[in-house]
Amino acid sequence: MQNKGIVIVLAVLMTLASIFYLSFSVATSYYDSEAAKIKDPIAQQDYKDSVKYLGVYSYQRCLETQIGLGLDLKGGMNVILEISVPDVVETLADHKTDAAFVKSMEQAKKEEETSQSDFISLFIKYYHQNAPGHRLAEIFATQQLKGQVSTQSSDKEVEQALRAQVQSAIDNSYNVVRNRIDKFGVVQPNIQKLEGQEGRIMVEMPGVREPERVRKLLQGSANLEFWETYNSEEVTPYLRQLDQLVANGGESAKQDTAAAEKKDDAAEKAEIAKKAAPAKLTVAKDKGGAAKAAAKSESAQLEQAKKTNPLLAVLQLAPQGSLSVVGYANVRDTAEVNKIIYSAAAKQVLPSDVKLLWGAKPADGLSVKNVYELYALKITQSNGHAPLEGDVITDAKDEFDQTYGRPSVSMSMNSDGARRWAELTKANVGKAIAIVLDGVVYSAPRVNGEISGGNSQITGNFTIEDTKDLANTLKSGRMPAPARIVQEDVVGPTLGAQSIQQGLISFVVAFILLMLYMVLMYDFIPGMMANFALLVNLFFTLGILTSFQAALTMPGIAGIVLTLGMAVDANVLIYERTKEELRKGKGLRDAIHAGYGNAFSAIFDSNLTSIITGVILFVFGTGPVRGFATTLIIGICCSFFTAVYLTRLIYENRLAKDKWLNQNFTTRLSRNFLQNNNVGFMNMYKKTFTITGVLVAVFIVSFFVRGLSKSIDFTGGRNYTVKLEKAVEPEDVTAALQASFPNSSVSSLALGTDHKTIRISTNYKIESNSPTVDDEVEEILFKALSEAGMVTQKSVEAFKNPDVRAGGSIISSAKVGPSVAKDITYGAIISVIFALIAIFLYILLRFRNIAFSLGSTFALAIDTIVVLGFYSLLWNVVPFSLEIDQTFIGAILTVIGYSINDKVVVFDRIRENLNLYKKRDFFTIFNNSLNETLARTVNTSLTTLLVLLCIFILGGDSIRSFAFAMIIGVIFGTLSSIFVAAPIAYMTLSKRDKGERGDKPLTEVAE
């Protein structure tokens, strides 16, 4: 084998890289187990913050680098937000009431629901229809577009400005969403703008258990504000008075606080360090008895202090000169502080124009961690709003202060903002201006003088990351347009754990069966070599997935398992070709050399066609389908390397040392398996074409009569998977719910055979933009099921908790808005058509003969119709879901990719024989080629079916429909290679060559 050195180097590098990336999962698991031994949660976090894996990587970096689990394995929430482009356009038009504008907006909104055109194109089209002779500049020459659109601007210039502003709104919304999620504290969130889908942002949040809170968080309109502030000495007397009022049970406190107000600054700073550093932080690391006793004593003292000073025992007042910071509290005490400062007693004591807010992150410069600052803001507007809000910011950049060379943020405002900012800074020289986002203070810089022109710089104790985040915050501010959830999936953690178990079981069983099959068919050493290639393939696949920081999902596990089945195909091809060479009398060394060489083109072509469909899946798919496509592509590439190069390297090494010389790649079971075949496959074309035509006709009739069971991916709606204690019939569930969801469709489906897990679907108010509709639907669902005696939970909160199964609960839910359903439908159709065209062109390029392209493409179309037909005939007949969803489309494309493998191998042998036997007629070459490849065809189909049956039986409900489609696809894909693709290619080839090779028509040789 040539280039052995390259193969060895590449194998070593991939091994080292895989070990490196997979080690992060091991390290994270170890650190988690060590942290779990620490009882105090703050001390746990301190331990994790101190981690330096390999002396470099922090715990957070380990979390980000390890192979993550998708929502279906870990539980959590997946949301697609859609930024309302019509609202952006209305804002840019300054909410014009012009009749033509209003009518055009309504028409564009209506058509957008069914059209693939974007909203701006539709609006412009209708505006030209409704206002002939008028230009867009008449509508959009507004303050919001000042400097971009004037009354003299052309329609093209206005359109460009509108698109730029919409894109800016989407980008800013993305920053707002990321800021909110980071604040929410989700580990390893995945937030990305969806390419090709204007205004959509996908947010994946593993481990989230509060979907209602997340919905409100994501759909609310964030507000960036600039507030005047009080100095600390102006507010601390009131906090002392509040402390005494609460301590006295609500009676007025008339104690003299003058002496306390004159406390020395140095003494107060010492007390900050003392009180803001609870004893638990130091005791947590000491496991001795004395430390425990000290901790107990400290805890008792703290409880006693809270009785005397309920507020000041947990809030350390700031010293004089602290500007707007009035106090410090440990993160664990902020909730207790909030109860007091936002209580009815606080309203009696604190001035009505004082607003207390916490900082966005722990304070810097203190001797302890996790201490937050409390700021005092001054309310100066009669409506209670901030004097200046974020809508005046036009730009913000992170840069370095030229004077001191430290990170800073520069910001620019529009003319109105510049004027008000100058007034605000002039009135607050020497004081702080607080910058607030989402109710927390991000910065409160001192004002050194009036700032005119709207350009200013914010400096402080910032890192480069801080200034980048703050610049993004200033630019993003409030959501530039309303956002609504158009697609949502919620998976309970218990269901995720069950999916992990099912995925692992199906994987282990499939792997063991594959290993046994290869040993039984090809003897121990060849079989174990193939199994070794599978193990290395799995190792490399997981390593590469981890390096990409991809999340492993249930479809992803199915992709890995299926890759193993397809990886066996390469080994089978090589071994079958090697056996042929051995039967010709060649020695083992020459036979193996020829076997690898002869099988290469078929392996290369079949792998590349599978990658083509994988790429199409990745481009057109979303969520789970993309996860499946990613693992499929990586697995195919790894299997090609391990089967074609790595195993050959080992064989040649052993043979060079005169080892393994007695191998014949057969066992007693397989020695005569499908050898010396002479089946007249090509004679059966009339019968097979007739059977195929009848099947296609039956399926087409079924499409019109029964149709397909479309999921909410294609119709829009909500799915709720409900786990009940007692078995019920789906029809009874539907009957119980229909009256509660008027003017809406409701359906129920049993998942599994025990009838305890029911999936309920409805399109009730699916077009509503209100963030409260989801809660409304869940409450209606709970009430209806309770009245029917199907649910015994006492509250809707318990019913929505996936961890509380007793009494019935929602264990997962999904939502797809009508606009998303429209795009999914369009994408599904395009992806299947595109896959067929791509494969047609590739086969034409590789074989340089349209006969093979026509035969393979026609057979693939038949395969697709057959799979769809079975789903049409059997839905509501078999005891599992046969809904057409995104995962099913992934299965169809995978069937196409797998089926073309068979056809490529058969056509590759036909091409080879055509070149070898120049005088032999086409009919004989085609028939002989089919017989010669029959053993390979049967072996690869059986190994893949073994894997798919494991997924189907053991993989769980979430993947069963996918496996069923693949099983049908493998069976009929194999048959179509022999009985459809080959005869069509033969007839096309014979017609083009006009009998030059002595062929007879099929009808004359059919005997």
Side-chain angles (χ1 to χ4, degrees):
M1 182 178 70
Q2 297 178 345
N3 303 319
K4 290 182 182 179
I6 295 176
V7 174
I8 294 172
V9 170
L10 187 59
V12 170
L13 290 177
M14 289 178 67
T15 300
L16 293 175
S18 297
I19 291 173
F20 172 73
Y21 282 107
L22 290 174
S23 71
F24 283 95
S25 298
V26 179
T28 304
S29 178
Y30 170 76
Y31 294 135
D32 285 339
S33 65
E34 290 298 304
K37 298 176 184 178
I38 303 172
K39 294 183 179 180
D40 183 74
I42 304 302
Q44 279 187 4
Q45 190 59 47
D46 287 342
Y47 167 76
K48 292 178 180 179
D49 290 342
S50 68
V51 163
K52 287 295 179 184
Y53 177 56
L54 300 178
V56 177
Y57 300 101
S58 66
Y59 175 80
Q60 185 62 32
R61 183 65 185 276
C62 291
L63 277 179
E64 293 170 354
T65 309
Q66 71 171 355
I67 187 166
L69 297 179
L71 301 185
D72 53 352
L73 298 180
K74 188 176 181 179
M77 190 173 184
N78 176 293
V79 163
I80 293 181
L81 281 172
E82 186 174 70
I83 309 304
S84 176
V85 176
D87 282 294
V88 176
V89 173
E90 284 192 15
T91 301
L92 295 175
D94 202 16
H95 300 281
K96 292 281 195 310
T97 56
D98 177 78
F101 172 76
V102 172
K103 184 178 180 180
S104 301
M105 290 290 292
E106 291 175 354
Q107 289 174 319
K109 288 178 185 177
K110 185 176 181 180
E111 184 173 340
E112 190 189 23
E113 294 178 3
T114 56
S115 171
Q116 288 302 310
S117 299
D118 62 87
F119 178 82
I120 292 177
S121 299
L122 294 172
F123 166 76
I124 292 174
K125 180 186 76 172
Y126 283 115
Y127 185 75
H128 286 153
Q129 291 179 9
N130 296 323
H134 291 265
R135 292 183 297 111
L136 293 170
E138 298 174 24
I139 296 293
F140 293 102
T142 60
Q143 181 68 32
Q144 286 81 359
L145 290 173
K146 186 175 182 180
Q148 300 180 61
V149 175
S150 68
T151 54
Q152 304 304 315
S153 297
S154 66
D155 284 354
K156 186 175 181 180
E157 290 172 337
V158 174
E159 181 178 354
Q160 290 175 345
L162 290 177
R163 294 191 183 279
Q165 287 296 313
V166 166
Q167 187 57 51
S168 177
I170 295 167
D171 293 341
N172 290 345
S173 297
Y174 173 84
N175 290 330
V176 173
V177 169
R178 177 164 287 284
N179 286 334
R180 294 180 185 182
I181 296 302
D182 289 344
K183 173 188 167 186
F184 195 75
V186 179
V187 178
Q188 287 185 294
N190 177 22
I191 308 169
Q192 56 183 277
K193 287 175 280 189
L194 297 181
E195 299 297 330
Q197 300 183 41
E198 187 178 45
R200 289 188 188 154
I201 300 170
M202 185 189 75
V203 184
E204 285 186 346
M205 295 159 285
V208 166
R209 299 192 181 193
E210 303 170 285
E212 300 92 342
R213 182 181 168 197
V214 172
R215 290 173 191 139
K216 293 174 183 176
L217 177 76
L218 293 177
Q219 295 182 113
S221 182
N223 192 15
L224 175 68
E225 302 166 323
F226 299 88
W227 287 87
E228 296 184 54
T229 63
Y230 279 104
N231 288 337
S232 59
E233 57 268 22
E234 298 177 278
V235 177
T236 50
Y238 295 107
L239 293 176
R240 289 194 177 96
Q241 186 177 344
L242 175 60
D243 179 59
Q244 291 303 307
L245 178 64
V246 176
N248 295 333
E251 296 178 4
S252 295
K254 298 181 180 180
Q255 300 177 4
D256 186 5
T257 59
E261 291 173 1
K262 296 179 181 178
K263 187 177 291 185
D264 181 74
D265 286 353
E268 287 198 321
K269 289 179 181 177
E271 285 194 16
I272 292 173
K274 180 180 178 182
K275 289 192 175 181
K280 290 183 180 179
L281 290 175
T282 55
V283 172
K285 298 180 181 180
D286 184 356
K287 298 182 181 179
K292 293 180 180 178
K296 187 174 182 179
S297 176
E298 291 276 358
S299 178
Q301 292 177 15
L302 181 60
E303 290 302 318
Q304 183 60 39
K306 286 181 180 179
K307 292 180 181 179
T308 307
N309 300 99
L311 176 60
L312 300 187
V314 289
L315 177 71
Q316 172 59 47
L317 296 180
Q320 290 186 6
S322 297
L323 290 181
S324 57
V325 177
V326 296
Y328 303 84
N330 193 283
V331 63
R332 77 180 83 195
D333 297 324
T334 53
E336 197 165 348
V337 174
N338 287 343
K339 288 180 182 179
I340 298 175
I341 64 176
Y342 301 139
S343 65
K347 293 180 181 179
Q348 298 177 30
V349 174
L350 297 177
S352 59
D353 61 349
V354 171
K355 184 182 182 75
L356 299 175
L357 292 179
W358 294 102
K361 64 179 196 175
D364 291 323
L366 298 181
S367 59
V368 290
K369 298 179 180 179
N370 300 310
V371 172
Y372 283 74
E373 296 163 311
L374 185 65
Y375 292 83
L377 279 55
K378 181 188 291 187
I379 300 174
T380 58
Q381 305 292 309
S382 59
N383 58 8
H385 292 175
L388 192 63
E389 296 185 347
D391 53 0
V392 301
I393 300 292
T394 58
D395 193 21
K397 297 178 181 178
D398 59 297
E399 53 187 30
F400 278 86
D401 178 14
Q402 296 180 356
T403 305
Y404 300 102
R406 57 185 178 180
S408 63
V409 175
S410 64
M411 60 181 182
S412 305
M413 300 181 180
N414 60 26
S415 56
D416 179 56
R419 175 184 58 79
R420 292 157 61 192
W421 182 239
E423 295 173 355
L424 191 63
T425 52
K426 181 179 180 180
N428 288 274
V429 173
K431 302 187 75 173
I433 296 290
I435 301 171
V436 178
L437 177 70
D438 282 350
V440 292
V441 180
Y442 274 71
S443 177
R446 180 194 298 269
V447 179
N448 295 321
E450 178 186 349
I451 303 174
S452 58
N455 297 314
S456 55
Q457 189 179 62
I458 303 172
T459 58
N461 188 24
F462 293 139
T463 64
I464 295 175
E465 291 74 18
D466 290 335
T467 54
K468 286 183 177 179
D469 292 343
L470 184 56
N472 284 336
T473 301
L474 291 172
K475 282 195 293 186
S476 59
R478 72 166 70 232
M479 274 293 192
R484 66 182 182 125
I485 294 174
V486 293
Q487 185 172 342
E488 172 188 300
D489 290 287
V490 180
V491 179
T494 308
L495 189 63
Q498 182 182 346
S499 295
I500 293 176
Q501 183 181 13
Q502 291 172 333
L504 288 175
I505 291 173
S506 66
F507 173 80
V508 170
V509 172
F511 200 86
I512 291 173
L513 290 176
L514 277 178
M515 293 177 71
L516 289 174
Y517 187 89
M518 294 304 290
V519 170
L520 289 172
M521 292 300 295
Y522 296 105
D523 208 359
F524 183 77
I525 289 178
M528 291 309 296
M529 276 300 300
N531 296 333
F532 167 75
L534 290 181
L535 284 170
V536 176
N537 176 29
L538 173 64
F539 177 66
F540 286 164
T541 300
L542 290 176
I544 295 172
L545 275 173
T546 308
S547 70
F548 289 166
Q549 296 185 11
L552 190 61
T553 62
M554 193 64 198
I557 291 177
I560 293 175
V561 176
L562 183 60
T563 297
L564 296 179
M566 297 174 72
V568 172
D569 185 25
N571 295 110
V572 170
L573 271 171
I574 293 166
Y575 288 173
E576 291 296 328
R577 294 306 295 253
T578 302
K579 286 164 61 177
E580 289 180 15
E581 300 301 322
L582 287 172
R583 285 194 291 269
K584 292 177 182 178
K586 289 185 178 180
L588 184 60
R589 289 187 180 90
D590 292 337
I592 287 180
H593 178 78
Y596 275 93
N598 293 335
F600 181 84
S601 63
I603 295 172
F604 180 83
D605 287 335
S606 60
N607 277 261
L608 192 55
T609 51
S610 294
I611 289 176
I612 288 173
T613 56
V615 170
I616 294 171
L617 275 172
F618 186 84
V619 171
F620 289 97
T622 59
V625 175
R626 276 196 164 190
F628 171 79
T630 302
T631 54
L632 186 67
I633 293 169
I634 293 172
I636 289 171
C637 293
C638 291
S639 70
F640 183 79
F641 175 75
T642 55
V644 174
Y645 294 108
L646 205 57
T647 57
R648 184 174 183 178
L649 190 69
I650 296 173
Y651 272 119
E652 292 188 356
N653 176 270
R654 295 288 85 194
L655 293 174
K657 296 180 180 181
D658 294 329
K659 306 289 185 180
W660 297 358
L661 293 174
N662 61 342
Q663 300 303 312
N664 58 16
F665 298 88
T666 61
T667 63
R668 289 183 180 180
L669 180 66
S670 64
R671 191 158 293 136
N672 298 314
F673 181 68
L674 297 177
Q675 298 300 321
N676 303 316
N677 305 306
N678 192 23
V679 181
F681 292 114
M682 298 297 292
N683 295 334
M684 304 178 187
Y685 89 100
K686 284 186 176 180
K687 294 179 182 178
T688 56
F689 279 16
T690 301
I691 293 171
T692 302
V694 171
L695 279 175
V696 169
V698 169
F699 293 146
I700 290 175
V701 171
S702 180
F703 293 151
F704 284 102
V705 176
R706 286 178 53 82
L708 293 165
S709 177
K710 296 179 183 178
S711 75
I712 61 171
D713 286 348
F714 296 98
T715 62
R718 293 176 175 83
N719 274 347
Y720 296 95
T721 302
V722 181
K723 184 71 174 181
L724 303 175
E725 287 186 317
K726 298 179 180 180
V728 297
E729 292 299 323
E731 295 80 8
D732 296 337
V733 176
T734 302
L737 295 174
Q738 281 178 335
S740 300
F741 293 105
N743 303 318
S744 305
S745 64
V746 181
S747 63
S748 304
L749 175 71
L751 301 179
T753 57
D754 62 355
H755 285 224
K756 291 183 179 180
T757 305
I758 305 294
R759 189 178 65 201
I760 300 167
S761 303
T762 179
N763 63 356
Y764 178 74
K765 290 188 178 180
I766 193 61
E767 295 183 1
S768 173
N769 295 335
S770 173
T772 63
V773 169
D774 296 298
D775 292 339
E776 178 187 343
V777 175
E778 288 162 357
E779 288 176 6
I780 293 173
L781 187 63
F782 169 69
K783 184 178 179 181
L785 292 176
S786 297
E787 291 176 352
M790 298 176 183
V791 169
T792 58
Q793 295 282 15
K794 294 183 179 179
S795 67
V796 67
E797 287 73 21
F799 175 66
K800 291 191 288 185
N801 187 340
D803 291 329
V804 182
R805 298 292 182 91
S809 68
I810 297 173
I811 57 176
S812 70
S813 63
K815 167 187 171 182
V816 178
S819 60
V820 173
K822 173 198 68 176
D823 290 343
I824 291 174
T825 304
Y826 177 78
I829 296 171
I830 291 297
S831 62
V832 172
I833 294 174
F834 192 74
L836 293 173
I837 294 173
I839 288 175
F840 177 89
L841 293 175
Y842 179 76
I843 298 298
L844 182 62
L845 178 68
R846 281 291 288 169
F847 288 86
R848 305 296 177 88
N849 196 316
I850 198 170
F852 297 118
S853 290
L854 287 175
S856 58
T857 306
F858 191 86
L860 290 177
I862 296 294
D863 296 340
T864 304
I865 292 172
V866 167
V867 176
L868 284 168
F870 272 102
Y871 268 62
S872 175
L873 284 173
L874 298 179
W875 69 276
N876 272 354
V877 176
V878 294
F880 52 89
S881 172
L882 288 184
E883 281 191 339
I884 307 299
D885 55 12
Q886 291 187 78
T887 305
F888 172 79
I889 299 303
I892 286 288
L893 292 174
T894 310
V895 165
I896 291 172
Y898 181 83
S899 180
I900 195 64
N901 288 358
D902 275 334
K903 293 157 182 61
V904 164
V905 171
V906 171
F907 290 162
D908 185 75
R909 180 61 67 92
I910 292 171
R911 176 176 58 180
E912 180 183 335
N913 287 337
L914 285 171
N915 293 326
L916 285 174
Y917 309 108
K918 299 288 187 181
K919 296 183 179 181
R920 188 174 294 179
D921 62 85
F922 287 148
F923 178 84
T924 304
I925 288 176
F926 269 73
N927 206 69
N928 289 349
S929 298
L930 289 171
N931 280 281
E932 290 167 6
T933 56
L934 187 61
R936 174 266 163 199
T937 300
V938 173
N939 275 329
T940 52
S941 297
L942 285 177
T943 54
T944 306
L945 282 173
L946 275 176
V947 172
L948 290 171
L949 285 171
C950 291
I951 298 175
F952 179 78
I953 297 169
L954 304 172
D957 294 325
S958 62
I959 207 71
R960 187 162 287 132
S961 177
F962 171 88
F964 183 70
M966 284 297 303
I967 289 170
I968 296 173
V970 168
I971 294 172
F972 282 89
T974 302
L975 294 174
S976 69
S977 300
I978 299 172
F979 298 112
V980 178
I984 290 176
Y986 167 78
M987 287 187 288
T988 306
L989 196 62
S990 298
K991 186 176 181 180
R992 287 185 60 201
D993 283 59
K994 298 179 181 178
E996 290 181 9
R997 297 189 65 163
D999 280 317
K1000 297 178 181 179
L1002 279 176
T1003 53
E1004 295 184 21
V1005 296
E1007 301 300 326

